[in-house]
Amino acid sequence: MTANELILIAGMTAVTFAIRYSFFALGERLVFPPLAKKALKYVPPAVLSAIVLPMVFLPDGKTWGIDWHNAWLAGALASGIISWRFKNLLAAIGGGMFVYVIWKIFFA
């Protein structure tokens, strides 16, 4: 690793730490406007979608995998249905994983 790379990593670490620590340091003094609070409620689903959806719909990273051989899609659909029906995150995760494994063994 070169010195420039180490400086770059240290700088990124400092910026990331400063941003995250500022919320703890300011604590109760930091008040978000109502519109910002409303918008922040959508951040976790947006981030999760950005991580999961490419993996589900592009399982090989190149071509669309919207067919019945796609175990990722089967698991994601099962997880979504379980989550919607039972409103239980643990059941949705477990059910989606179960369907994924079974699908991978028997259909993929």
Side-chain angles (χ1 to χ4, degrees), residues 71 74-76 78-79 82 90-104:
S79 182
I82 293 168
L90 187 59
I93 293 169
M97 289 174 58
F98 178 77
V99 169
Y100 169 79
V101 169
I102 296 301
W103 208 272
K104 191 81 169 167

Side-chain angles (χ1 to χ4, degrees), residues 13-91:
T13 302
V15 168
T16 302
F17 178 78
I19 290 170
R20 293 182 182 201
Y21 181 73
S22 65
F23 290 104
F24 293 115
L26 294 174
E28 300 277 328
R29 295 174 287 177
L30 182 65
V31 179
F32 289 108
L35 184 61
K37 285 183 183 179
K38 187 175 181 182
L40 286 172
K41 290 181 182 179
Y42 295 104
V43 170
V47 170
L48 184 61
S49 297
I51 294 169
V52 171
L53 291 180
M55 183 173 44
V56 169
F57 290 115
L58 301 167
D60 64 355
K62 298 174 189 170
T63 58
W64 290 96
I66 305 174
D67 61 1
W68 68 279
H69 292 290
N70 187 349
W72 291 104
L73 183 58
L77 288 173
S79 182
I81 291 169
I82 293 168
S83 176
W84 169 71
R85 173 66 178 91
F86 297 106
K87 309 281 192 256
N88 185 329
L89 181 61
L90 187 59

